[in-house]
Amino acid sequence: MKTSHGVASSLLLRLDSRSPTPLHEQLFEGIRARILAGALAPGLRLPSSRQLATELEVARSTVLQALDALTAEGYLVARAGSCTRVAPELPILAGDRSREPALPAASRTSLTGERDLGRGPGASRGSRFPTAAQTPGSGARRQGASRGPRLAASVRALKSTPVGAPRLGAAPRAFRPGVPALDLFPTALWARTVSRVHARASTGLLDGGDPSGHAPLREAIATHVSVSRGVRCSPEQVFITAGTQQAFDEVLRLALNPGDPVWVEDPGYPGVRRAVLSAGGRPMPIPVDGDGLDVGAGLTRAPRTRVALVAPSHQYPLGVTLSLARRMALLQWAERTRSLIIEDDYDSEFRHRGRPLTALQGLDDAGCVVYVGTFSKSMFPGLRLGFLVVPPSLVDVFSASRAAAPASTLEQAALAVFLAEGHFARHLRRMRAAYRERGEALLEALNADCSGLLTPRPCDTAMQVCASLATPLSDLRVRDEAARRGVEVAALSDYFLGRRRESGLIFGFGGVRPEGMRAGTRTLAQALEAARRGRRPSR
């Protein structure tokens, strides 16, 4: 396997050409598994792509596709004109306890099979959720009795929570964040699917169905996220929700006592803060930098936190990815402290080049991660369907907490057919290409019209771009000036919960055709100039 010079002479991998899993995915998973197991040591030089292609009897493009994906996720490092190596500073790997520092006895709590987070009479301090028998009965009522003062404070905080860009009427304009390419959605195909399902609806569908969600949809989602996002789950772990906000609310209300702190990204999505406050928790802003959520800062600022809510694959609004080192650090913190991670995976399927990054849940061996997904961005916002993937040990808790189906069972059934027949996968492929084209058009237009005043960040996923403003421009003033001219952008300042560290703008390009970008950026350039001079447009 290894020479004395730190070079892997062979990876000793075998690919199965008869497997339904593509060869590049098999190679990706094989190398990743060997790195995580320690068989490929940090800094080890890999064989060349040509050598690997010959050894594995596959096309070189197959090898390059797998290596590019591993590099994007931080497992490998590659430099132009040089070799590819295993990342030299891999973190402590999950399951490798020999390298972890010893914990004080007080912090070595035990996980019960019931994962009790109630922390009431009879609850274990190290457990996560209430038992099925406790949910949602008398324990919940006792908890609610202490909510009065906290609830009033939460209402005041909710009123002060910013909501982002001003909405200039119902029709999306350039560059409203969060709007998908509705002009490219296969409306007629969706209508035929819905009509067919409605015409054949059974009594069970009309009656409301399983509170956990329509069984065929749960099966289709489990298959989809396993293949596309690396999520490890069975259909029983999937619970249908009425969108992301309801998913956050459901988990947080089970996980929190009044006043419990929750790590939230700063800057971050305002809906996360609203969900924490609505559940009676205290959002603790943890800074986000180029590597994502700063786990070390979280441990310093709020060491007693038991819940973290993060978007590791594509953070909003900065668009950064949580590095591999921080992913591992976050998982180790959650396992060590018996804490919970809520993974918000709202749009990372739309990676413009290469495969989508593996979900954090796919690295979780301790049952610490609840994975949250939505169809609002990948389908259309009015669908209002999302889902949770919970660890196996929490399935009974979530099942017991539900009284009724969270969304129309008929719509769930239609979506299940849409996924099972392959329409959804084809739609995603089309959208990835469209968002890549629209993102590149926006960057080109911004560089042409706003150069010197605005510096866009790289955009390789989804449908928004964050751009830094040249000082001393105020992003709030620019936002308002642009709104007066009919252009919608969001101010980065509105997304900070703690100290505002940067001035910038958030652009949504999903709902704007490439040929419409320049008209929007020219108007924005006028707004930037007016903000710089401190004057308003003439009427």
Side-chain angles (χ1 to χ4, degrees):
M1 265 294 288
K2 303 176 188 177
T3 73
S4 58
H5 301 290
V7 181
S9 57
S10 170
L11 297 187
L12 301 180
L13 292 174
R14 294 291 179 267
L15 306 182
D16 183 1
S17 60
R18 296 170 295 180
S19 170
T21 303
L23 293 175
H24 68 273
E25 291 285 351
Q26 294 183 44
L27 182 55
F28 170 88
E29 292 295 344
I31 296 177
R32 187 175 75 126
R34 297 185 74 77
I35 291 174
L36 291 175
L40 296 177
L44 184 72
R45 177 178 174 178
L46 297 189
S48 70
S49 58
R50 295 184 188 279
Q51 181 180 339
L52 282 174
T54 301
E55 175 186 329
L56 299 171
E57 298 181 341
V58 297
R60 186 177 176 225
S61 60
T62 298
V63 175
L64 290 173
Q65 194 170 356
L67 296 182
D68 287 346
L70 289 160
T71 302
E73 296 205 16
Y75 295 98
L76 301 178
V77 291
R79 294 180 178 86
S82 183
C83 59
T84 298
R85 296 181 181 273
V86 178
E89 296 183 358
L90 284 175
I92 299 173
L93 303 179
D96 185 0
R97 296 292 162 260
S98 63
R99 297 166 62 190
E100 286 193 19
L103 295 174
S107 64
R108 288 197 293 267
T109 52
S110 61
L111 274 174
T112 67
E114 299 158 337
R115 303 289 177 104
D116 185 345
L117 230 182
R119 294 194 287 278
S124 165
R125 285 182 57 85
S127 51
R128 281 196 186 93
F129 273 93
T131 65
Q134 291 173 322
T135 309
S138 59
R141 286 194 295 272
R142 284 195 301 272
Q143 188 184 86
S146 63
R147 283 192 184 271
R150 297 278 186 188
L151 183 59
S154 295
V155 169
R156 290 192 296 272
L158 281 166
K159 288 181 178 179
S160 66
T161 301
V163 295
R167 310 298 266 191
L168 306 181
R173 307 189 187 194
F175 297 95
R176 181 182 293 180
V179 178
L182 299 178
D183 57 310
L184 298 180
F185 182 73
T187 306
L189 176 59
W190 173 251
R192 290 195 298 270
T193 304
V194 171
S195 178
R196 177 159 41 106
V197 168
H198 282 210
R200 301 174 182 176
S202 64
T203 303
L205 278 180
L206 298 176
D207 189 44
D210 187 343
S212 298
H214 186 54
L217 179 57
R218 297 169 74 191
E219 293 171 5
I221 289 173
T223 298
H224 170 70
V225 297
S226 296
V227 172
S228 68
R229 302 294 294 112
V231 172
R232 298 178 291 179
C233 70
S234 65
E236 290 72 26
Q237 293 171 248
V238 178
F239 292 82
I240 307 303
T241 68
T244 299
Q245 289 299 129
Q246 195 224 341
F248 293 160
D249 184 77
E250 184 172 347
V251 179
L252 290 169
R253 288 184 186 278
L254 283 172
L256 297 178
N257 278 334
D260 280 352
V262 177
W263 285 1
V264 298
E265 296 168 328
D266 192 42
Y269 176 52
V272 167
R273 182 189 180 195
R274 291 195 291 272
V276 173
L277 290 170
S278 295
R282 286 188 298 124
M284 306 298 295
I286 308 302
V288 173
D289 58 23
D291 288 324
L293 182 86
D294 189 338
V295 179
L299 293 173
T300 300
R301 296 184 179 190
R304 297 185 182 276
T305 298
R306 302 298 294 275
V307 179
L309 208 161
V310 299
S313 294
H314 186 235
Q315 198 270 342
Y316 188 85
L318 297 183
V320 299
T321 299
L322 190 65
S323 67
L324 178 62
R326 289 192 181 172
R327 287 176 184 236
M328 292 300 189
L330 188 63
L331 289 170
Q332 288 153 14
W333 161 78
E335 181 177 3
R336 184 173 63 248
T337 62
R338 310 304 186 237
S339 299
L340 189 75
I341 300 168
I342 303 174
E343 178 178 9
D344 179 14
D345 199 30
Y346 66 100
D347 70 352
S348 59
E349 289 175 316
F350 295 127
R351 187 169 176 83
H352 302 166
R353 294 176 176 82
R355 68 190 297 281
L357 302 182
T358 304
L360 181 68
Q361 193 269 4
L363 298 173
D364 176 28
D365 292 324
C368 301
V369 178
V370 174
Y371 178 87
V372 176
T374 179
F375 293 97
S376 294
K377 298 294 187 288
S378 54
M379 295 278 284
F380 54 92
L383 185 59
R384 312 307 287 172
L385 278 176
F387 58 93
L388 296 166
V389 177
V390 307
S393 58
L394 302 183
V395 168
D396 289 344
V397 173
F398 276 84
S399 297
S401 71
R402 293 192 156 210
S408 166
T409 309
L410 286 171
E411 282 195 328
Q412 293 184 50
L415 182 57
V417 172
F418 202 74
L419 267 72
E421 293 183 350
H423 305 311
F424 182 70
R426 285 191 290 274
H427 175 61
L428 286 183
R429 288 194 294 271
R430 186 184 184 194
M431 290 301 95
R432 289 188 190 112
Y435 290 150
R436 174 181 176 179
E437 180 186 19
R438 295 184 181 194
E440 290 175 348
L442 174 60
L443 292 176
E444 182 179 339
L446 288 174
N447 287 328
D449 296 323
C450 306
S451 179
L453 296 176
L454 204 59
T455 305
R457 296 172 183 263
C459 174
D460 57 11
T461 304
M463 50 191 168
Q464 61 268 340
V465 165
C466 179
S468 299
L469 275 171
T471 55
L473 278 174
S474 163
D475 53 8
L476 299 174
R477 173 174 288 182
V478 174
R479 178 200 65 190
D480 294 343
E481 290 288 350
R484 293 185 188 103
R485 291 167 167 80
V487 170
E488 298 184 44
V489 290
L492 181 59
S493 294
D494 278 338
Y495 293 87
F496 283 99
L497 180 57
R499 182 177 62 86
R500 295 174 181 176
R501 304 185 302 276
E502 184 180 351
S503 182
L505 300 176
I506 314 301
F507 297 83
F509 57 79
V512 187
R513 294 177 182 270
E515 59 270 20
M517 298 291 179
R518 287 300 299 271
T521 54
R522 289 190 184 109
T523 302
L524 178 68
Q526 297 171 7
L528 285 165
E529 183 62 21
R532 188 178 68 84
R533 295 181 178 180
R535 62 176 175 83
R536 295 188 178 186
S538 58
R539 294 188 178 273

